Amino acid sequence: VLGEILARLEQPGDGGKPLGRVVGVIGARGGVGVTTIAINTAWMMAERLSRRTALVDMDIYSGNIALALDIEPTRGLREAFDDPERVDQVFLQNAMAKFGKSLHVLATEEAFDDAVRMTDDKVLMLADTMRANFDMSILDIPRHFVMREPQLFSRCDDIVIVTELTLQSLRDGNRLARLLAARNRQAKVHLVANRIGPKSDITAKEFEAGMEAKLRCAFPLDPKAMARASLKGQPLAGSEPRHRMIVDL
């Protein structure tokens, strides 16, 4: 459902070709499964909807995309921030890992004591280059970007806020949604509830009432299925395509 929504929102360019779309995925709180949503959405955009898709892990120190997909991290994202003028189609072709038929992954793993200078100008250049070279660019964005690199959100056509059905997620989801809507009034904000257990703090209807917005998707908690997919180095969408989460995604 989420992938199809994003695909329908593509806008044609002047020549009739759809423009690249940038989608930011961010959590209302930590540990809500942002990376899982980003990986599976990107995989389905590439494999099932035949979009040339980029998946970018913006957490250059402790991102989990490369680990989850069992691919070797590269220094491409670090190099993109060190010298943003180099980032073009050829650079991306060499810096990104290919996964499947049309999914391209940009993920790195820098040392914690290695200071990488990121600025708004650099992340904006990266987002613009992604838009120019891919049908869909899915950015897994750490929450600290809200304060440190806020301009990145101005480049997002869609912002997916991942939450849980808890009072804390309701509070922080509201705060985040209001802030991002103020920073980018053109972006479409999608609410996704993840890791829903048998006894959630609040119901989906109560959450929607508190947010004054509808949930696009609601995914059940299934740690065993996620563990099986991780052991295979595959997205859940690839290892268990009929899983309830994937059918809804």
Side-chain angles (χ1 to χ4, degrees):
V1 174
L2 181 60
E4 292 177 354
I5 289 169
L6 296 175
R8 287 200 301 268
L9 291 173
E10 289 174 318
Q11 297 296 324
D14 293 338
K17 181 181 178 181
L19 299 173
R21 200 165 188 86
V22 177
V23 180
V25 187
I26 188 170
R29 296 179 62 78
V32 295
V34 171
T35 296
T36 297
I37 299 298
I39 287 174
N40 284 281
T41 300
W43 189 90
M44 294 187 71
M45 294 297 302
E47 295 293 323
R48 295 193 180 177
L49 299 177
S50 300
R51 300 301 193 272
R52 189 167 186 270
T53 304
L55 175 61
V56 184
D57 194 334
M58 298 298 295
D59 188 341
I60 64 173
Y61 294 107
S62 54
N64 289 319
I65 286 179
L67 182 64
L69 296 178
D70 193 25
I71 60 178
E72 195 68 29
T74 72
R75 291 182 60 81
L77 190 56
R78 166 63 184 269
E79 293 170 359
F81 289 136
D82 284 346
D83 189 3
E85 299 291 343
R86 288 183 55 207
V87 182
D88 56 16
Q89 184 176 4
V90 175
F91 174 90
L92 293 175
Q93 183 176 344
N94 293 326
M96 301 182 80
K98 183 85 177 290
F99 192 93
K101 65 179 183 180
S102 54
L103 178 59
H104 303 259
V105 182
L106 186 58
T108 191
E109 192 176 288
E110 295 299 318
F112 288 118
D113 60 353
D114 188 359
V116 179
R117 181 170 172 75
M118 288 186 284
T119 63
D120 277 335
D121 288 346
K122 292 180 179 180
V123 296
L124 290 181
M125 289 179 68
L126 177 65
D128 289 343
T129 304
M130 290 295 167
R131 185 192 304 280
N133 287 278
F134 294 93
D135 300 324
M136 281 285 174
S137 297
I138 309 294
L139 311 184
D140 182 346
I141 305 177
R143 279 179 302 142
H144 64 70
F145 270 60
V146 172
M147 296 303 298
R148 287 179 47 187
E149 287 82 27
Q151 287 301 313
L152 175 61
F153 297 95
S154 71
R155 288 298 197 270
C156 293
D157 301 287
D158 301 90
I159 300 172
V160 179
I161 299 177
V162 184
T163 76
E164 295 177 320
L165 295 184
T166 64
L167 291 174
Q168 295 92 338
S169 279
L170 176 59
R171 178 197 65 187
D172 292 345
N174 257 313
R175 296 167 65 197
L176 187 59
R178 288 196 298 268
L179 177 62
L180 296 180
R183 287 183 177 170
N184 186 346
R185 298 185 183 279
Q186 303 303 315
K188 294 176 172 60
V189 177
H190 311 272
L191 293 174
V192 171
N194 193 34
R195 301 172 57 85
I196 300 174
K199 296 182 180 179
S200 298
D201 290 0
I202 56 178
T203 66
K205 287 186 177 180
E206 289 169 335
F207 188 89
E208 289 176 332
M211 290 292 299
E212 297 183 351
K214 291 289 186 180
L215 289 167
R216 286 292 193 184
C217 307
F219 302 124
L221 175 65
D222 192 342
K224 291 183 179 179
M226 297 309 305
R228 290 193 298 268
S230 294
L231 287 173
K232 295 177 182 177
Q234 290 284 328
L236 184 62
S239 64
E240 299 188 30
R242 295 188 179 182
H243 191 279
R244 177 184 167 187
M245 174 180 176
I246 303 309
V247 173
D248 290 341
L249 189 65

